[in-house]
Amino acid sequence: MKEKDILILAIESSCDETAAAVVKNGREVLSNIIFSQIELHKLYGGVVPEIASRKHIEKINQVIEEALAAAHKRLEDMDAIAVTYGPGLVGALLVGVAEAKAISYAAGLPLVGVHHIEGHISANYIENKELEPPFICLVVSGGHTHLVKVSDYGEYEILGRTRDDAAGEAFDKVARAIGLGYPGGPKIDRLSKEGNPDAIHFPKAKIEDAPYDFSFSGLKSAVLNYLNGCKMRGETVNEADVAASFQKAVTDVLVEHAMMAVKESGLTKLAIAGGVASNSTIRSAMEAACEENKIEFFRPSPIYCTDNAAMIGAAGFYEFQKGVRHDLDLNAVPNLRLGER
Ligand code: KG4
Ligand code: ZN
């Protein structure tokens, strides 16, 4: 007999996207509604937490209604409600968490709190129906840079992490320095196509006692020093060359670390996730390295790389299947660690 389908209503509000989705059996996205606040925060050159929270409150009911309508489902059809409860901006997280608790109580639906990074990793399950743990996942976003061994659904071992800036943060800061504005990642990605990645040599940080860890602050400083040097000498800066050379330095480090992790773990699969994983150069460099090393490569479509609720529905499904249920005292945990419940 066919097992009953599990429908999850998922909510994500940890940063500057107000998002809701309906996901079937963890892998089939029936709807994925994202209200991006980027236009609002652009004015300030980055996410303003207070503005983010207020906008989430304004939009959350609407995105949930749209997600249900687009999926042609009603709240009563849902089996559970999943919500990001950390890490992220506390005020932003609280909006999603409070909403999910209210719906859970009113509709009598089980509540499943989801870790935001577990969501990013699980985005890979949506379009790769055959992907199953164990595998290595490189999570690169605006807030996180984690090299993770996914031993099983919901079972994670962090092999390496950033010591300072996250990869996306480095993209955003360098973009600001060369006058591209926020968010920097997509702009550097685009501008790099017109530049020479070998024009400027930027350093790649290696951390002696922790080969899987990352550090991007030295690279960011090197770019700033280069720009200042040009200015002092009265030289014009070729922004496309700076963007392409910076992007190459980030890409090389990410690829090297990911390859080393897959090889040393004895596993044969690599996935990437997070906003920076939508970068076209990083995607193709990772794909080429995987092909060369006979590693199976997985990456979500760009829409599932940046923040969305479908990924929370995917992660929420596996947590739900494991029996994870949260009570109505679930709180936002801004610095929630991966693997904690
Ligand atoms: O995953 P995400 O939406 O939010 C966090 O969880 O942080 O990631 C946002 C980050 C931003 O820093 C943005 O600049 C970066 O992802 N990003 C990119 C690209 N698209 C978004 N970075 C490089 N290349 C891109 N194409
Ligand atoms: Zn994210």
Side-chain angles (χ1 to χ4, degrees):
M1 201 178 82
K2 190 176 172 287
E3 275 184 47
K4 183 190 170 298
D5 287 333
I6 302 289
L7 288 176
I8 296 205
L9 171 65
I11 298 176
E12 155 65 41
S13 72
S14 67
C15 190
D16 61 345
E17 266 89 26
T18 322
V22 176
V23 178
K24 185 166 132 184
N25 300 330
R27 304 232 175 192
E28 198 183 322
V29 177
L30 303 189
S31 65
N32 185 32
I33 307 296
I34 304 166
F35 173 78
S36 170
Q37 305 180 359
I38 280 180
E39 286 306 318
L40 210 64
H41 299 284
K42 248 184 193 167
L43 295 170
Y44 308 94
V47 179
V48 184
E50 179 65 22
I51 295 178
S53 315
R54 284 167 187 259
K55 205 68 194 170
H56 283 313
I57 290 178
E58 239 177 87
K59 287 285 169 186
I60 196 135
N61 283 322
Q62 186 188 331
V63 297
I64 292 170
E65 276 167 23
E66 279 182 38
L68 288 169
H72 305 291
K73 299 287 177 199
R74 294 161 309 158
L75 208 46
E76 303 86 81
D77 301 322
M78 299 297 116
D79 294 282
I81 178 150
V83 64
T84 307
Y85 73 108
L89 303 169
V90 66
L93 287 164
L94 272 171
V95 177
V97 169
E99 180 82 11
K101 290 198 290 191
I103 295 175
S104 161
Y105 179 70
L109 287 173
L111 177 68
V112 182
V114 172
H115 192 289
H116 184 74
I117 296 186
E118 178 169 17
H120 274 302
I121 295 170
S122 305
N124 279 284
Y125 298 136
I126 295 169
E127 295 157 297
N128 301 298
K129 310 289 181 210
E130 76 287 7
L131 174 61
E132 279 180 20
F135 58 91
I136 298 291
C137 188
L138 174 71
V139 187
V140 271
S141 72
H144 314 278
T145 306
H146 280 28
L147 195 52
V148 181
K149 181 177 172 190
V150 183
S151 313
D152 201 346
Y153 293 107
E155 301 293 327
Y156 307 98
E157 186 188 331
I158 298 177
L159 305 176
R161 67 177 82 219
T162 182
R163 293 286 178 106
D164 38 59
D165 291 348
E169 221 175 330
F171 268 93
D172 293 337
K173 287 178 178 169
V174 166
R176 189 182 310 163
I178 51 179
L180 297 177
Y182 178 84
K187 294 185 173 166
I188 290 196
D189 194 350
R190 224 169 299 131
L191 184 62
S192 292
K193 298 196 195 308
E194 295 157 29
N196 173 7
D198 299 313
I200 310 151
H201 177 76
F202 289 128
K204 279 178 265 172
K206 275 213 163 57
I207 295 156
E208 281 304 320
D209 54 336
Y212 291 132
D213 278 0
F214 302 90
S215 166
F216 294 106
S217 70
L219 170 60
K220 178 194 67 192
S221 302
V223 175
L224 296 179
N225 287 343
Y226 174 84
L227 294 172
N228 282 336
C230 289
K231 202 170 161 190
M232 272 158 59
R233 290 190 299 273
E235 293 168 9
T236 48
V237 172
N238 182 328
E239 279 108 4
D241 281 354
V242 177
S245 302
F246 158 78
Q247 187 174 266
K248 180 177 192 295
V250 176
T251 305
D252 287 353
V253 168
L254 296 180
V255 171
E256 273 167 32
H257 282 47
M259 289 304 117
M260 189 166 66
V262 179
K263 283 181 199 165
E264 286 183 12
S265 66
L267 299 177
T268 54
K269 293 182 252 182
L270 172 73
I272 56 172
V276 182
S278 60
N279 181 277
S280 56
T281 299
I282 295 172
R283 289 165 89 87
S284 49
M286 212 59 92
E287 185 162 23
C290 282
E291 206 175 309
E292 200 184 311
N293 291 288
K294 311 231 169 332
I295 296 166
E296 233 185 312
F297 179 54
F298 302 87
R299 79 266 185 290
S301 290
I303 191 69
Y304 296 128
C305 283
T306 43
D307 287 350
N308 65 87
M311 68 184 196
I312 303 303
F317 169 78
Y318 290 103
E319 292 291 317
F320 180 78
Q321 292 293 75
K322 282 191 157 190
V324 172
R325 303 289 183 272
H326 283 95
D327 293 326
L328 291 177
D329 62 357
L330 179 69
N331 204 351
V333 185
N335 55 359
L336 184 67
R337 286 214 294 260
L338 192 62
E340 253 177 52
R341 289 206 175 92

